[in-house]
Amino acid sequence: MTGATPDRRRFLTAGAAVLGAAASAQLWLPGTARAAETKLPDGVFSLGVASGDPLPDGIVLWTRLAPDPLNGGGMPDGVVPVEWELAEDERFRKTARKGVAQARPEYGHSVHVDVRGLRHDRTYWYRFRTDGQISPTGRTRTAPHPHRKGGSLRVALASCQNWQHGYFTPYADMLAQDPDFVLFVGDYIYESSPSSTAVRKHEGKGEPYTLEQYRNRYAQYRGDPDLAAMHANAPWVVTFDDHEVDNDWAGEIPQDPDKQSHDAFVARLTAAFQAYYEHMPVRATAIPDGPHIQMYRRLEFGRLARLNVLDTRQFRSDQATSQAGAQDPSMTMLGPDQKAWLLDGLKDSPARWNIIASQIMMAETDLQLGEGKLWYYDAWDGYQAERNAFLKEFTDIRNPVVLSGDRHLTMISDLKEDFADPDSDVVGAEFVGTSISSSGDQDQAAFHAQWDPLMADNPHWKVIDAHRGYHLFDIRRDGIDARVRVVDTVLKQQATASTLATLRVESDDPGVRVV
């Protein structure tokens, strides 16, 4: 994945005209799908299109039929055939694959097409059609050949997009940067109740608990135009954190077990995971089994990078509330199976770069000035024994880089073999990406007044900041060039973007430096 060709750039700058369904309708080749028995309402493709989890020969294509998206979807209760087409050009003159998928009511009339037999490291365009209606056009890309050693990979890291805290303006800049894929590490929606003082108000009358309520919340988020455009222009690799279900949940334990019984929370998990699957471009391996969903997985990008996507919620012990609890060796973030899977994948990796997508921060956060430690427990600091064991293993792993979210801050750090020993070896690098909109436009002076004094107690921190935005990585064999891209506001629908910091990770030289 060597950057944008002129054709790819032209597609980006064409804007809404290319994304619009009207443009696609004039180009559609006659299909074979049987029309729905009942005439469908207009606007079935209101939620747009997306793609995800690129393979060298495959990609997942997604849409969901929802003419009345904020009221359960508005579809008739029946199976609807949906034609799909994937082409090698944006005018669909050279079709690569096409077929018919079934949009089923039990999955919210979502469509997940796992297309295979494609060329590696190639751009494709795709669209859907049903009952005479045409979707927006999407653009996607496959992964490089499994044995390819060279080339480059551009990755955008995003997380934490709270509808009520602001507009998703960082995606407009991300679109212009043309990443090969977007890595989203959690908090795609927020489950909070509508607020009358919000920048823009959540739908509904309270927190979501039922499947229809979660569907409505996802549909609202999908209506953000910058988010929709980014989904339509690059494949996404996604995982969830807590707010897709309930703040600070762990395993089958809610944030407030005194208010949510176990059975009630299991029902909530079941509804939340179902809605998550229905709205994400993921494979059938992620179809939920009741209150369980398979989310940790591994993707390969030639011999350049191996991406290990974690699930730090379903298998974790309940959050520690004290230093003794955080140091309890029985505490686990990943559970035994996922932990063994991750270590095996890191040790056996043929890749130059071993990337770990972790929803929460791995590096230490010491919140106490001077002597002693005060940790941030809703992160790997709350699971010290497991985290420290991983860091010791990193000494034998080639180029481990952790990409995280959750904090609503940019925190870029060296990973140390032992954070209790400031002189211990650096074994990797971590980029904690800031939020897309969560926490809104923060007071930067107040942030630095609070956090800058802590830098002396956290010498592994290289950059800390509280602007909204995302991180952009250009990965090559010799190193990773990273940029912290930030916007001046998320309180308005347009924003000005800039590079706050530029950093470099050298191959086979653990750690990160500010350029």
Side-chain angles (χ1 to χ4, degrees):
M1 294 190 172
T2 54
T5 65
D7 284 343
R8 295 176 73 197
R9 291 289 183 194
R10 189 165 62 247
F11 181 79
L12 283 173
T13 56
V18 174
L19 290 175
S24 298
Q26 298 172 6
L27 303 173
W28 189 270
L29 298 175
T32 58
R34 177 181 60 83
E37 293 181 4
T38 302
K39 179 71 177 175
L40 297 179
D42 291 338
V44 293
F45 294 110
S46 65
L47 302 183
V49 298
S51 66
D53 279 14
L55 302 176
D57 69 338
I59 197 76
V60 176
L61 308 180
W62 173 93
T63 192
R64 180 184 165 221
L65 308 183
D68 191 5
L70 300 186
N71 293 287
M75 287 290 291
D77 187 18
V79 178
V80 178
V82 179
E83 293 178 80
W84 59 269
E85 182 181 13
L86 187 84
E88 296 183 8
D89 65 298
E90 62 189 278
R91 295 185 64 85
F92 291 84
R93 289 171 173 163
K94 190 173 182 181
T95 299
R97 292 286 185 276
K98 62 180 179 179
V100 179
Q102 305 299 322
R104 299 184 177 277
E106 59 265 33
Y107 293 115
H109 289 99
S110 62
V111 174
H112 299 73
V113 182
D114 191 352
V115 187
R116 299 297 176 98
L118 302 177
R119 299 183 184 184
H120 55 80
D121 202 16
R122 184 172 181 99
T123 300
Y124 290 94
W125 287 262
Y126 63 95
R127 60 191 177 185
F128 300 89
R129 177 188 182 186
T130 188
D131 198 25
Q133 299 185 50
I134 312 297
S135 76
T137 294
R139 189 194 66 167
T140 191
R141 191 167 183 84
T142 53
H145 189 280
H147 299 302
R148 180 177 176 180
K149 294 183 178 180
S152 65
L153 187 65
R154 175 169 284 189
V155 181
L157 172 67
S159 65
C160 303
Q161 50 190 29
N162 191 320
W163 179 273
Q164 299 198 132
H165 289 181
Y167 298 93
F168 301 161
T169 56
Y171 286 125
D173 179 68
M174 186 189 293
L175 184 70
Q177 302 299 327
D178 195 20
D180 289 310
F181 71 90
V182 178
L183 176 62
F184 194 91
V185 292
D187 295 344
Y188 189 96
I189 62 165
Y190 278 70
E191 85 293 5
S192 49
S193 297
S195 169
S196 59
T197 61
V199 179
R200 48 182 183 171
K201 189 177 178 181
H202 271 152
E203 55 70 45
K205 296 181 179 179
E207 291 190 18
Y209 291 91
T210 68
L211 177 56
E212 181 168 326
Q213 288 172 331
Y214 277 108
R215 283 172 174 168
N216 293 344
R217 186 61 56 88
Y218 276 101
Q220 183 178 43
Y221 277 59
R222 282 283 190 170
D224 183 275
D226 291 322
L227 175 61
M230 197 63 244
H231 268 301
N233 274 276
W236 285 48
V237 177
V238 300
T239 187
F240 54 77
D241 193 21
D242 55 341
H243 289 289
E244 288 88 349
V245 181
D246 180 35
N247 183 49
D248 287 351
W249 66 278
E252 293 185 355
I253 303 170
Q255 178 188 29
D256 49 1
D258 55 326
K259 296 180 181 178
Q260 298 184 72
S261 70
H262 178 262
D263 288 351
F265 187 66
V266 166
R268 189 178 192 182
L269 279 172
T270 300
F273 288 160
Q274 168 96 11
Y276 185 82
Y277 169 76
E278 290 175 356
H279 291 86
M280 293 296 128
V282 291
R283 291 192 160 81
T285 51
I287 293 174
D289 178 14
H292 304 287
I293 186 171
Q294 179 62 43
M295 195 48 54
Y296 69 83
R297 62 203 188 280
R298 187 171 291 127
L299 295 166
E300 312 283 355
F301 296 89
R303 295 293 177 89
L304 182 64
R306 167 171 280 186
L307 174 61
N308 303 276
V309 181
L310 300 187
D311 172 352
T312 60
R313 282 287 164 191
Q314 283 194 90
F315 310 104
R316 71 157 71 179
S317 308
D318 196 13
Q319 187 173 307
T321 57
S322 66
Q323 292 208 33
Q327 294 174 302
D328 183 341
S330 70
M331 292 285 282
T332 180
M333 180 71 76
L334 302 182
D337 293 344
Q338 185 178 191
K339 182 163 62 176
W341 167 87
L342 176 58
L343 285 174
D344 289 346
L346 292 171
K347 292 177 179 179
D348 296 342
S349 173
R352 173 64 61 104
W353 297 96
N354 287 287
I355 301 172
I356 300 169
S358 170
Q359 292 90 325
I360 42 80
M361 184 170 175
M362 186 171 283
E364 182 176 81
T365 299
D366 180 6
L367 296 169
Q368 183 164 311
L369 282 169
E371 293 297 317
K373 299 278 190 180
L374 177 61
W375 293 310
Y376 178 67
Y377 297 125
D378 189 29
W380 282 92
D381 273 346
Y383 303 78
Q384 298 253 333
E386 188 168 89
R387 190 269 310 277
N388 295 345
F390 270 123
L391 293 176
K392 291 187 184 303
E393 297 281 0
F394 279 9
T395 60
D396 297 321
I397 306 300
R398 190 172 195 188
N399 294 325
V401 177
V402 179
L403 305 182
S404 309
D406 178 62
R407 298 297 298 271
H408 307 173
L409 307 171
T410 286
M411 282 188 162
I412 299 171
S413 308
D414 286 340
L415 292 173
K416 306 278 286 185
E417 183 177 359
D418 182 1
F419 282 110
D421 177 7
D423 296 323
S424 68
D425 289 341
V426 174
V427 296
E430 180 178 37
F431 293 81
V432 178
T434 184
S435 65
I436 291 292
S437 68
S438 301
S439 297
D441 290 352
Q442 285 186 250
D443 183 331
Q444 301 302 317
F447 168 80
H448 285 288
Q450 176 187 356
W451 288 87
D452 285 358
L454 295 171
M455 293 284 282
D457 293 281
N458 297 273
H460 49 282
W461 292 352
K462 299 300 180 73
V463 174
I464 60 172
D465 184 76
H467 283 85
R468 307 284 70 83
Y470 67 98
H471 292 186
L472 191 69
F473 305 91
D474 286 299
I475 305 171
R476 301 178 183 85
R477 284 178 62 78
D478 64 340
I480 297 177
D481 291 302
R483 285 180 283 158
V484 179
R485 295 290 293 175
V486 299
V487 294
D488 61 343
T489 184
V490 294
L491 304 184
K492 301 177 182 178
Q493 289 178 286
Q494 282 80 39
T496 300
S498 61
T499 296
L500 177 90
T502 303
L503 302 103
R504 172 83 175 176
V505 182
E506 298 286 353
S507 179
D508 300 321
D509 184 11
V512 58
R513 63 181 175 87
V514 178
V515 176

